[in-house]
Amino acid sequence: AHPRECGGLGLAVAGTIIGGLMALASLVLAVILIPALGAARDAARLVQSEINLETLHQSLVLYTQNNRGMLPPADANWAELLTKQGFTASESWIAPGATDETRVSYFWRPAPAINPRRHRVLLYEMPGVHEDGVYVLFHDTGVVFMPNVEARQLLDGMKLDDGAAWAPHKYLPPALR
């Protein structure tokens, strides 16, 4: 064969090898980046959940300022009440990691008023939204991320001011139960 006739074949083989290496490099990058992107998404969900709890806390503070320092009554549909009165947007009620986006993701522990001198749960996130734990907002310390076991012990043992056991789903709006 004439040397000029083989040159095209050599370039084709080289092009195929380089293309294969590029595809392999892309695959390696994808394998490296996909877990990192998942971790970034999970971190963003945690931050958004914390922001939602802070927003709901501020909504309750605004509500108390307009209601002689009192929180909504224990039997009130607090999500609807705060949303209809313009204290918060409905998006604040849904945790970013919630699997059912039609349900309220946060609960409040009814109390007569916000008391910054008491270490007691005011708001908390529905357990199970995050794999590693639950966000809880206390009257006196703000938002804390608690491991699941700790959070379960705390939330399962809560009682209302009258000593009644706490049943958070009782206070979900009827349409969202």
Side-chain angles (χ1 to χ4, degrees), residues 94-152:
I94 310 301
T99 54
D100 182 355
E101 293 187 9
T102 64
R103 292 187 60 134
V104 170
S105 301
Y106 304 97
F107 300 102
W108 78 297
R109 181 190 174 279
I114 295 174
N115 185 348
R117 292 182 301 278
R118 290 194 66 187
H119 187 68
R120 174 171 83 174
V121 173
L122 177 62
L123 296 166
Y124 62 97
E125 184 175 47
M126 182 182 298
V129 170
H130 302 291
E131 230 176 82
D132 300 332
V134 177
Y135 274 109
V136 178
L137 187 138
F138 292 91
H139 282 256
D140 63 343
T141 57
V143 178
V144 176
F145 189 74
M146 299 179 75
N148 283 320
V149 173
E150 240 181 272
R152 274 286 179 202

